[in-house]
Amino acid sequence: MTERPGPPPPLPGPQTPGDGLPEIVPDPRPWPVPGPTGGPLPARRDRDQPMVSAFGDLVRTGSWDAARRTVAIQVFGDTKLDLRQVLQPGETLEVELYSLFGSAKILVPEGTDVQIQGMTLLGDARSEVGAPATGAAPSGSRLLVTGWSVFGDVRVRSVAAGEKLPRGWRWARPRA
């Protein structure tokens, strides 16, 4: 049985040198957080091979195996990532998106802190998560999105368990 390493170190905050990102909200539960099957979560790979697609969509839903840093490269199609069963409380994942003539949509669990950076040309980047959008308490999980898009949007959204997925987001399965 592989033991899970300790929690990732907090990102630099306003009091320390660095990018000025806020610190991770600690999860009140003891470490390690049990996974969906009741056992400890498996250790994540630091980096994976990039997901690449041309003239089609990149879609990942359900409980898929994501690395700590995931890269998606898309030409003439959309990137759709459902992280609601992937991102665990107290965990930080990074997603780097490169898109030409396509959009990126990412679903995250309620209470996830989302930071979006990068650039969009003739598109926009929008985050519809956090306490103001959903009223959910912080879970301690964090998603860092770096999006580079030409003629497309980068959008991140959280949907409550049991809530109907909005139009345009129904490619993902609803969670009970």
Side-chain angles (χ1 to χ4, degrees):
M1 182 165 118
T2 306
E3 291 203 22
R4 182 175 171 89
L11 294 173
Q15 299 82 9
T16 60
D19 294 333
L21 295 174
E23 293 187 20
I24 295 175
V25 177
D27 187 10
R29 295 179 288 179
W31 194 261
V33 178
T37 59
L41 294 169
R44 289 207 189 274
R45 298 177 312 282
D46 284 331
R47 191 174 200 169
D48 206 355
Q49 293 292 324
M51 298 183 287
V52 181
S53 180
F55 298 101
D57 293 343
L58 281 173
V59 180
R60 298 290 186 272
T61 61
S63 183
W64 56 283
D65 185 25
R68 281 194 177 98
R69 184 161 187 262
T70 300
V71 177
I73 302 167
Q74 181 64 45
V75 179
F76 292 104
D78 295 331
T79 301
K80 302 172 182 178
L81 305 176
D82 185 352
L83 300 176
R84 294 175 297 164
Q85 295 179 20
V86 176
L87 187 59
Q88 300 298 322
E91 185 174 45
T92 298
L93 294 183
E94 296 178 46
V95 175
E96 193 169 340
L97 303 165
Y98 298 94
S99 179
L100 177 64
F101 295 103
S103 296
K105 294 181 178 181
I106 303 172
L107 281 170
V108 295
E110 285 187 296
T112 301
D113 177 37
V114 175
Q115 304 286 325
I116 299 178
Q117 58 189 7
M119 181 203 76
T120 60
L121 180 64
L122 299 175
D124 63 79
R126 187 180 337 179
S127 173
E128 299 170 6
V129 299
T134 64
S139 66
S141 58
R142 174 182 287 173
L143 176 66
L144 302 174
V145 179
T146 304
W148 304 97
S149 175
V150 179
F151 297 107
D153 300 328
V154 176
R155 297 197 179 174
V156 182
R157 183 174 196 151
S158 63
V159 177
E163 183 181 336
K164 184 178 178 181
L165 294 168
R167 173 174 251 156
W169 294 82
R170 295 191 181 146
W171 47 268
R173 297 183 195 117
R175 281 180 60 189

